[in-house]
Every structure is written in C-alpha cells, then in structure tokens.
Amino acid sequence: MRVLRRLAAGSLASLLAASTLAAAAGSAEETASRLDPLVARLLKDGDVPGLSLALVRDGRVALVRSWGVKDASGSAPVAEDTIFEAASLSK
C-alpha cells in the first residue's frame, strides 16, 4: 500500500504541475478555481490525504493553496507551513 501511495503521490504531483502550467495564464483566483475541483478529485483517486501547492510567477508567490489533511489517520488540515516528506519526487 505504501508503494502505491508513493506512486499516486508522484502521479498527482505530475498532474498538478501540468494543470498549474495550463492554468498559469489566468489570474491567481482563476487558477485556484480551476485547481480546487481537480485537486479534490486527484486526492481522492490517488488515496492521498493532503497537498500544499505554491505557484510562483515572475519570482513572486502568486498563489498558495492547501487541500486535505496532514495524514490519513488524522483530521488536522494541511496548512501553508505543513512539512511533507518528499523523497525522490523529481525522478
């Protein structure tokens, strides 16, 4: 199960990156409104408890968004300062 969750997290990250790039042409509010339903579905489909994302445009943080909970066994929501384990996501 842990391996499947890691694969789902990697796929989720890739899909979010592509979606964010596609949505980056609009305002931060437009991007957020496009990402919210997509992220909710991907979290559910990938059995991923939570996610935090920052969109940087022209060297400045344009959007910070968090979804879900910090871990599968808890109910504490993901926040901007939540620390995630991110091993080998760039491979």
Side-chain angles (χ1 to χ4, degrees):
M1 181 65 151
R2 187 175 175 104
V3 172
L4 289 176
R5 185 167 291 195
R6 285 184 185 166
L7 290 172
S11 297
L12 181 64
S14 297
L15 287 170
L16 282 172
S19 300
T20 301
L21 289 173
S27 69
E29 294 81 21
E30 290 170 333
T31 301
S33 69
R34 290 180 185 146
L35 286 176
D36 283 339
L38 173 65
V39 171
R41 182 178 52 98
L42 291 172
L43 289 176
K44 182 179 177 184
D45 291 351
D47 193 28
V48 176
L51 173 86
S52 185
L53 174 134
L55 176 62
V56 179
R57 290 186 181 150
D58 299 321
R60 294 186 177 163
V61 176
L63 174 70
V64 176
R65 218 41 179 202
S66 301
W67 298 269
V69 294
K70 292 181 180 182
D71 62 68
S73 62
S75 60
V78 174
E80 291 180 19
D81 62 349
T82 300
I83 298 172
F84 290 95
E85 180 183 335
S88 301
L89 289 177
S90 63
K91 288 184 179 177

